[in-house]
Amino acid sequence: MPSATYSLFLAAMRERRQIVCVYQGHRSELCPILLGRTGLEEKSLVFQFGGDTSDGPIPPPGDWKCLRLSDVRDVALRDGPWRAGHSHSAAQSCMKMVEYDVNPDSPYDPAFRL
């Protein structure tokens, strides 16, 4: 059974809505692009366009980040432009099993395309 956080990230992907949350103590504004698992650990590859990281404020236009969903708190969906960055040239190593992908031309053969 997926966690409540996983379910909210999936809803954001299906509805193309932004997420505001706290990740490892830092406020984050992001759009989830991939959702899946490594073993039993739920993960999401996201494009973070606002908020902070442990290194300070996220620089414009944003950056790719791999989140362990067990470290995500206070998730809220909000309306706003869907952001997925301008390019993602490196193959993802965030998760071993991609379950959902918003990219219609996904190279990851996800279980479900959104």
Side-chain angles (χ1 to χ4, degrees):
M1 188 87 187
S3 69
T5 300
Y6 186 102
S7 296
L8 285 168
F9 270 60
L10 180 54
M13 292 170 74
R14 284 186 170 139
E15 300 168 19
R16 302 296 194 272
R17 294 181 70 197
Q18 298 178 358
I19 288 178
V20 178
C21 64
V22 175
Y23 183 68
Q24 296 180 337
H26 302 279
R27 184 176 180 279
S28 298
E29 299 174 38
L30 53 90
C31 290
I33 307 303
L34 300 177
L35 193 57
R37 301 171 190 278
T38 297
L40 296 177
E41 185 174 47
E42 298 172 332
K43 294 186 173 183
S44 184
L45 180 68
V46 305
F47 187 75
Q48 183 179 353
F49 56 85
D52 297 305
T53 69
S54 57
D55 295 328
I58 195 84
D63 203 3
W64 295 97
K65 190 164 187 161
C66 181
L67 305 184
R68 288 187 314 264
L69 297 189
S70 61
D71 291 339
V72 176
R73 304 281 180 264
D74 303 325
V75 179
L77 277 61
R78 73 175 184 195
D79 294 328
W82 183 256
R83 300 181 191 199
H86 296 291
S87 67
H88 185 76
S89 56
Q92 71 88 18
S93 59
C94 178
M95 65 198 74
K96 290 194 178 185
M97 185 171 73
V98 175
E99 296 173 331
Y100 294 92
D101 188 345
V102 297
N103 179 1
D105 301 316
S106 174
Y108 301 113
D109 194 27
F112 305 99
R113 292 186 191 273
L114 300 172

